[in-house]
């Protein structure tokens, strides 16, 4: 039970400031507001590459040429079919289940059915990445009493997801918007879900188990669970009088010690570069919702500066993700699962990276309990 800390790190609550791994995948520079994937600034990638190009960059180490891209697309397309086990799990789960719980369960079932085991491989990463949109779309349709659709071989990851969900191929603008979103959220340093994936991978467990752990970590509102809460927040403010009642509503939350969803970040102490990109995209995709959201953003930032002076709290990636994903017709409870459909690229890249140079991740804890309790037998307690 007792562990000792050999080198206690100051202020390590939440492992803030602790370097837990080395990675060549992505770098988050919090004070500069800079995110790079393998050397490329996210602003240079966001609107220029597809999700498939981004995953190739993360998995293989360079942006693909045409032949490499065609090959990767073909491999992903070949995996766009759910196992009967995953389908029966989806059918067995209640229609009221949370989509993140459904995703966690179905990835686990699909991994077991696909016999994902042993050291993680690129083919396993392709399989899990290709199937997450299928799992989500299948559950969305099942809970609406709609028949399931087959993935279209002529569509890529982003377009297939929207097609399988909505029953019609997206417009070019919608496909572009989702592609940019998927590219921008694919990796982000040692975030909580990636760390969870690496911890599991470091025990030489399998890739599906590592991804399932990551899904569990992403679900929490302090990590990936925020965008649907941003949607709820905007709707609640609308219902409480819209712009006129906004300041009172937000002030009330802060007075009660609650956090405002879509603001703040462990690493960024300036504008999150992804939030900047998403803001512009949300304005184009949904001008009316954007107008309201940007007014609330401005009011929230003013109040956060007042209530949390000097903390440097800015708008985070989740805030305008909520507006953008809503404009694509995705239900609020599918915002975080859609985030997972992107971040799985980073998770699997990190799992492969961890496995390639592994040492079990096993930190220590600072024991705060008593040192010498006297044992009393059950009959005398
Ligand atoms: C993301 C988050 C969990 C980071 O947590 P963290 O690393 O502990 O945050 P910080 O150390 O920067 O917090 C500094 C202070 O600002 C406060 N703060 C941070 N984000 C805040 C927010 N959104 N609303 C109100 N206060 C906030 C903290 O409570 C803390 O206050 P204190 O100094 O009085 O204790 C936090 O900002 C948060 O809960 N945000 C809202 C949820 C969200 O949008 N999550 C998605 C993240 S991408």
């Amino acid at each position: 039970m007792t562990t000792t800390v050999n080198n206690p790190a100051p202020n390590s609550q939440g492992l803030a400031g602790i370097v837990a791994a080395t990675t060549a995948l992505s770098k988050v520079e919090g004070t500069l507001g800079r995110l790079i994937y393998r050397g490329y600034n996210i602003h240079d990638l966001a609107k220029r590459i597809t999700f498939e190009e981004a995953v190739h960059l993360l998995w293989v180490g360079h942006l693909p040429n045409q032949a490499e891209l065609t090959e990767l697309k073909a491999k992903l397309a070949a995996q766009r079919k759910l196992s009967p086990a995953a389908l029966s799990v989806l059918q067995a789960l209640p229609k009221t289940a949370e989509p993140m719980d459904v995703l966690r369960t179905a990835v686990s079932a699909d991994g077991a059915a696909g016999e994902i085991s042993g050291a993680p491989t690129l083919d396993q990463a392709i399989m899990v990445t290709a199937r997450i949109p299928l799992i989500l779309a299948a559950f969305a349709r099942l809970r609406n009493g709609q028949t399931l659709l087959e993935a279209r071989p002529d569509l890529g990851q982003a377009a297939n997801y929207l097609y399988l969900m909505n029953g019609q191929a997206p417009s070019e603008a919608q496909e572009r918007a989702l592609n940019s979103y998927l590219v921008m959220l694919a990796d982000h340093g040692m975030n909580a879900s990636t760390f969870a994936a690496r911890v599991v991978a470091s025990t030489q467990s399998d890739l599906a188990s590592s991804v399932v752990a990551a899904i569990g970590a992403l679900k929490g509102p302090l990590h990936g669970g925020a965008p649907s809460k941003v949607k709820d927040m905007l709707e609640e403010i609308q219902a409480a009088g819209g712009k006129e009642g906004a300041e009172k509503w937000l002030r009330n939350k802060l007075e009660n010690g609650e956090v405002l969803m879509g603001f703040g970040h462990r690493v960024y102490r300036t504008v999150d570069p992804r939030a900047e990109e998403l803001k512009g995209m949300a304005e184009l995709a949904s001008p009316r919702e954007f107008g309201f959201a940007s007014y609330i953003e401005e009011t929230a930032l003013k109040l956060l500066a007042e209530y949390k002076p000097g903390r440097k709290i800015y708008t985070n990636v989740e805030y305008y993700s909520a507006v953008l994903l809503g404009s694509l017709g995705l239900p609020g409870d599918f915002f975080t699962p859609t985030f997972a459909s992107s971040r799985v690229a980073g998770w699997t890249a990190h799992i492969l990276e961890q496995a390639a140079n592994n040492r079990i991740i096993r930190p220590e804890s600072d024991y705060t309990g008593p040192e010498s309790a006297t044992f009393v037998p059950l009959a005398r307690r």
Side-chain angles (χ1 to χ4, degrees), residues 48 75 84 110 113 119 147 157 169 196 213-214 228 255 277 286 296 317 324 345 347 352 376 380:
R48 292 195 185 154
K75 284 186 175 171
D110 205 48
T147 49
Q157 188 91 349
S228 63
E255 291 283 347
E277 294 280 353
S286 199
I296 301 304
V317 68
L324 188 76
W347 293 334
L352 292 166
V376 180
R380 286 205 282 115

Side-chain angles (χ1 to χ4, degrees), residues 40-237:
Y40 295 97
N41 191 306
I42 200 68
H43 290 304
D44 291 332
L45 301 178
K47 296 199 189 91
R48 292 195 185 154
I49 62 169
T50 58
F51 178 66
E52 286 83 348
E53 289 170 84
V55 297
H56 190 284
L57 175 64
L58 292 170
W59 287 341
V60 183
H62 61 267
L63 285 169
N65 61 28
Q66 190 55 59
E68 289 169 325
L69 183 59
T70 305
E71 190 187 335
L72 176 59
K73 281 182 165 178
K75 284 186 175 171
L76 285 161
Q79 284 297 340
R80 287 201 182 100
K81 201 165 173 43
L82 284 180
S83 63
L87 273 174
S88 34
V89 161
L90 290 172
Q91 274 150 352
L93 289 169
K95 290 188 168 70
T96 50
E98 274 194 50
M100 278 302 272
D101 295 342
V102 172
L103 180 63
R104 192 191 63 224
T105 311
V107 166
S108 186
D110 205 48
E115 296 180 5
I116 290 185
S117 64
T121 65
L122 186 55
D123 284 342
Q124 293 170 355
I126 290 172
M127 176 179 157
V128 174
T129 302
R131 292 184 183 186
I132 285 185
L134 272 68
I135 291 170
L136 299 177
F139 182 65
R141 293 184 76 82
L142 280 171
R143 77 175 184 181
N144 290 340
Q146 294 166 303
T147 49
L148 303 191
L149 299 170
E150 303 239 319
R152 276 179 42 180
D154 57 319
L155 301 179
Q157 188 91 349
N160 249 317
Y161 181 43
L162 293 174
Y163 165 70
L164 291 170
M165 275 270 183
N166 302 330
Q168 58 186 52
S171 68
E172 221 182 292
Q174 288 173 324
E175 183 181 358
R176 244 185 291 118
L178 185 60
N179 244 315
S180 295
Y181 170 88
L182 296 177
V183 167
M184 280 189 283
L185 277 89
D187 199 34
H188 204 240
M190 199 47 53
N191 60 86
S193 56
T194 298
F195 183 52
R198 285 190 83 127
V199 169
V200 176
S202 84
T203 68
Q204 292 186 349
S205 182
D206 63 282
L207 180 135
S209 301
S210 306
V211 170
V212 168
I215 293 170
L218 187 73
K219 181 185 167 189
L222 299 190
H223 185 10
S228 63
K229 305 248 184 282
V230 170
K231 183 175 187 269
D232 296 345
M233 179 179 84
L234 293 175
E235 284 171 1
E236 279 178 42
I237 298 175

Side-chain angles (χ1 to χ4, degrees), residues 16 220-227 230 254 257-269 272 274 304 307-308 311-314 316-319 339:
L222 299 190
H223 185 10
V230 170
L254 292 169
E258 291 179 50
V259 290
L260 303 182
M261 301 314 287
F263 299 92
H265 197 271
R266 167 59 61 82
V267 182
Y268 289 118
R269 294 296 170 222
D272 178 336
R274 303 163 304 168
L304 285 166
Y307 281 82
K308 301 282 171 185
R311 310 301 205 289
K312 298 197 171 153
I313 302 172
Y314 291 82
N316 65 39
V317 68
E318 311 287 12
Y319 192 78
F339 182 174

